Amino acid sequence: MSNLNLAEKQLILFDLDGTLVDSAADLYRAMNMSLNALQLPLVTEAQVRVWVGKGTSIFCHSVLQHITGVVDAAQHQHLLDTFLKIYNADPCVDTQLFTGIQEFLDWGRAQGKTLICVTNKPELPARTIVDALGLSSYFADVIGGDRFEERKPHPRQLLHCAEHYQSEKAQILMVGDSSNDVEAARRAGIDCIVVSYGYNHGENILDCQPQWVVDDLRELLA
């Protein structure tokens, strides 16, 4: 595994859920409130941790697939609308930063790096979480999964950042937690580091052969 030259990275892109923040408790709470409203059986937090990370629509699809075995389009839309309304109203009750994140962001800002949050979560709750945790001043932008037609693992969001900030690909680093992040970075032609503690759809993160894996982003600053 080659060494990562962090000094040459000027633009650092961060996934949100499972990378910067542990948001599963709030996603779980909002999902069960939504299922309750639709008079459907509830799910567990452990299940939610496996299902999140690919965007809200797929999350709702996974839940219905589990509960009913077959996903009805109208019911899916109803759950999606209900969930977004409930979750967006209060996405940051129990959501908190993972260990080491604050120090890494402080380092990035002190070094004059451009930091951007790139998530598959819709932009409204993503920005609400970033604001609530006091992180707004760190990020030049928060790019939600609904800004463009495509989202990770499609490289669209990452390529937009490269273009908008006029950065050479060698100067860009993606920091994520799932195969979606690894694949998006690979397709965009930029380096990617993943954290071992995140949500990777119930799969071992090593299976997607990431360039680097760390247990805590502070390891990069040592």
Side-chain angles (χ1 to χ4, degrees):
M1 201 177 269
S2 61
N3 281 335
L4 168 65
N5 181 1
L6 207 51
E8 71 175 9
K9 305 301 182 191
Q10 284 308 313
L11 185 61
I12 306 181
L13 315 178
F14 297 88
D15 172 56
L16 183 61
D17 301 78
T19 301
L20 294 177
V21 302
D22 189 357
S23 53
D26 282 322
L27 290 162
Y28 159 68
R29 180 182 53 83
M31 180 53 75
N32 272 349
M33 286 171 71
S34 306
L35 291 169
N36 208 24
L38 270 62
Q39 297 181 309
L40 287 167
L42 305 184
V43 294
T44 69
E45 186 173 333
Q47 288 170 326
V48 167
R49 284 178 181 272
V50 172
W51 294 329
V52 297
K54 296 187 179 183
T56 315
S57 180
I58 295 178
F59 177 34
C60 290
H61 191 280
S62 300
V63 170
L64 287 173
Q65 185 83 49
H66 168 75
I67 292 171
T68 65
V70 56
V71 181
D72 171 73
Q75 190 177 46
H76 177 257
Q77 191 60 50
H78 191 191
L79 179 60
L80 181 59
D81 293 343
T82 306
F83 175 80
L84 285 173
K85 191 174 171 189
I86 291 173
Y87 183 70
N88 289 359
D90 220 356
C92 199
V93 179
D94 297 312
T95 293
Q96 52 195 345
L97 289 180
F98 282 110
T99 306
I101 295 300
Q102 188 70 57
E103 293 89 333
F104 192 80
L105 293 176
D106 284 337
W107 171 86
R109 184 158 70 178
Q111 294 288 320
K113 309 288 188 189
T114 300
L115 311 178
I116 300 173
C117 180
V118 180
T119 175
N120 280 352
K121 184 193 283 298
E123 212 159 296
L124 179 69
R127 286 181 178 275
T128 302
I129 289 169
V130 166
D131 286 345
L133 294 175
L135 302 181
S136 300
S137 63
Y138 290 89
F139 296 112
D141 198 0
V142 176
I143 301 174
D146 49 358
R147 186 179 299 187
F148 303 111
E149 288 275 318
E150 310 87 3
R151 55 176 67 92
K152 299 176 295 184
H154 193 285
R156 177 80 171 89
Q157 294 164 301
L158 284 60
L159 293 172
H160 162 79
C161 294
E163 200 177 306
H164 186 79
Y165 295 92
Q166 299 177 317
S167 298
E168 296 291 324
K169 290 186 177 178
Q171 297 177 313
I172 308 173
L173 178 67
M174 176 77 213
V175 180
D177 71 315
S178 79
S179 55
N180 272 345
D181 300 309
V182 173
E183 181 64 20
R186 204 170 270 155
R187 289 165 68 181
I190 66 174
D191 283 334
C192 179
I193 190 159
V194 290
V195 293
S196 60
Y197 53 71
Y199 318 139
N200 186 38
H201 329 300
E203 299 152 19
N204 185 333
I205 192 62
L206 295 174
D207 291 348
C208 63
Q209 299 176 311
Q211 290 167 280
W212 302 281
V213 183
V214 293
D215 297 326
D216 183 321
L217 286 181
R218 289 175 299 187
E219 291 170 35
L220 302 178
L221 308 180

